[in-house]
Amino acid sequence: MSFLLRVKQLFGGDTPVQEKSPVEAHEIGAEPQEPVVSAAAQTVEQQGGRARREAADFDALEELFIDAGIDVDTTMAILQEVRRGGLLGRPTAEQVIERIRGKLSAVLDLDSTLHTTGSPAVILVTGVNGAGKTSSIAKLANMLKQQHRTVLLIAADTFRAGAVDQLAILADRVGVPMMRSVEGQDPSSVVFNGLQKAVADKVDVVVIDTAGRLENKKNLTFELQKVVRVIETKFGLPLSETLLVIDATTGENALMQARAFSEAIPISGIILTKIDSGAKGGSIVSIARELRIPIKLVCNGETLMSIKPFDKDDVVNMILLSE
Ligand SMILES: Nc1nc2c(ncn2[C@@H]2O[C@H](COP(=O)(O)OP(=O)(O)OP(=O)(O)O)[C@@H](O)[C@H]2O)c(=O)[nH]1
Ligand SMILES: [Mg+2]
């Protein structure tokens, strides 16, 4: 059942079911007695039951958030606001959903402008193995080409056998040039060669593919920092974007990934991939809240066209409609 349907189920009945008080429950099966509770006391009793039920529903809502991949701190912060909401009495399902939508949107509301100006603009793409770096780079190159920008791809994933060929095939398909490398080559030397070519050819945007071996964090950090030094210090080119690719199906581990990469180099934005895969993807909300990293692009399929600028509604819907 989707997040949305579950909320509807929890808050669907506008008239709260009256619960039995512990005293009443205890008395089940006892001899019928004259009612001794006054009308006023009964009202208090009903209110108590309502409050208990509401608390239980909010507990269930909390679980739903955690299930969706949103961390406990972020969940509590959002739910506190949702509860506060400013409305008297028990909220209806529509009110709860509206407030959740509002809060998720507010957390995701960061500057998502993709910067592609520079001479050339340099976009570095990072992320763990299989997150979707290489395919997103091809989609991004295709998008830029459609905007009549010239693009050069740099194959700086020299770690994985076949990585360069994979990018080469995609570059061909898009129709953009690529700076080749050989397996085991120092990534920063490929980047150096690529930037030289890009400057000579007056290319508008350079996009750099990197290896994603987070399991060897020390080497990865060292490599990434060296690549950044080559771009910014040797070439004096400010990085237009350092994009971290996050697979929306990753779950809460995505927050650890974002923390680890941000510790290595400053991350300017996220490419959120695989939002078409029924992902819960809630960890992206945790990343936005804790690290303030905006999502800049989302990928929703395997074709070259399956990329678009970030739209809050797409991501909020991904979370709310996830099973
Ligand atoms: N359905 C779907 N699949 C995607 C999306 N993005 C990437 N993929 C798939 O995810 C798999 C991994 O993508 P890659 O681009 O090779 O990932 P990578 O991060 O470059 O992986 P490494 O080079 O091994 O680190 C491929 O099968 C892609 O087709 C997406 O938005 N939707
Ligand atoms: Mg790759």
Side-chain angles (χ1 to χ4, degrees):
M1 186 185 292
S2 74
F3 191 111
L4 206 66
L5 282 179
R6 184 83 182 104
V7 174
K8 280 191 179 155
Q9 195 186 51
L10 284 171
F11 291 88
D14 288 349
T15 38
V17 175
Q18 285 185 21
E19 288 184 357
K20 288 202 182 303
S21 72
V23 176
E24 282 172 326
H26 179 73
E27 284 173 354
I28 288 174
E31 285 295 301
Q33 287 172 354
E34 284 298 303
V36 288
V37 193
S38 72
Q42 267 180 359
T43 308
V44 170
E45 192 95 326
Q46 281 169 3
Q47 281 170 353
R50 202 173 299 155
R52 273 197 303 279
R53 176 172 158 187
E54 197 174 313
D57 287 345
F58 273 100
D59 282 350
L61 197 56
E62 191 181 312
E63 260 173 52
L64 215 52
F65 270 74
I66 308 279
D67 249 19
I70 303 176
D71 70 291
V72 177
D73 279 358
T74 307
T75 297
M76 299 314 275
I78 293 177
L79 284 187
Q80 207 175 11
E81 295 274 319
V82 170
R83 276 191 102 147
R84 215 180 280 154
L87 285 139
L88 290 170
R90 181 180 167 75
T92 64
E94 281 65 34
Q95 286 168 331
V96 173
I97 290 163
E98 196 185 309
R99 286 184 224 167
I100 292 174
R101 262 189 195 284
K103 285 318 296 173
L104 292 178
S105 298
V107 175
L108 293 170
D109 193 16
L110 301 166
D111 181 8
S112 59
T113 316
L114 183 72
H115 300 282
T116 60
T117 50
S119 333
V122 184
I123 301 179
L124 181 64
V125 180
T126 63
V128 298
N129 294 114
K133 294 180 293 297
T134 308
S135 36
S136 299
I137 288 169
K139 292 167 189 170
L140 173 60
N142 194 51
M143 190 175 101
L144 291 165
K145 200 180 163 203
Q146 285 180 340
Q147 296 165 0
H148 308 291
R149 317 291 305 282
T150 53
V151 180
L152 172 75
L153 303 184
I154 300 181
D157 178 357
T158 59
F159 184 69
R160 185 169 66 78
V164 177
D165 288 336
Q166 185 194 352
L167 188 66
I169 291 166
L170 291 170
D172 248 18
R173 201 175 293 162
V174 178
V176 294
M178 182 194 88
M179 174 53 70
R180 263 198 169 271
S181 58
V182 290
E183 204 181 319
Q185 188 179 344
D186 181 351
S188 58
S189 85
V190 192
V191 170
F192 186 88
N193 296 342
L195 290 183
Q196 264 187 332
K197 181 173 165 52
V199 171
D201 296 350
K202 296 194 167 50
V203 163
D204 294 329
V205 188
V206 173
V207 189
I208 305 169
D209 193 12
T210 60
R213 43 176 171 149
L214 193 63
E215 61 276 13
N216 192 339
K217 197 176 157 221
K218 217 169 123 199
N219 280 350
L220 180 81
T221 302
F222 176 75
E223 254 176 26
L224 284 175
Q225 289 173 344
K226 196 167 167 195
V227 164
V228 171
R229 270 202 308 279
V230 164
I231 299 165
E232 297 197 325
T233 314
K234 269 202 175 166
F235 270 85
L237 282 169
L239 266 161
S240 306
E241 294 284 358
T242 306
L243 300 177
L244 175 65
V245 178
I246 295 280
D247 173 343
T249 64
T250 309
E252 63 181 315
N253 191 252
L255 179 59
M256 326 298 178
Q257 291 172 14
R259 282 188 191 135
F261 278 94
S262 307
E263 277 166 22
I265 52 170
I267 300 295
S268 63
I270 284 171
I271 304 180
L272 185 65
T273 60
K274 312 187 195 181
I275 72 161
D276 55 306
S277 310
K280 296 193 172 193
S283 51
I284 205 67
V285 178
S286 306
I287 295 173
R289 184 168 170 272
E290 182 183 311
L291 301 167
R292 318 277 308 154
I293 307 176
I295 307 169
K296 301 229 163 170
L297 295 163
V298 292
C299 294
N300 56 354
E302 300 202 59
T303 72
L304 283 177
M305 301 296 290
S306 321
I307 190 166
K308 49 185 188 161
F310 168 66
D311 177 343
K312 274 180 291 189
D313 288 342
D314 286 342
V315 175
V316 172
N317 283 336
M318 170 188 76
I319 297 168
L320 294 185
L321 299 177
S322 67
E323 295 293 318

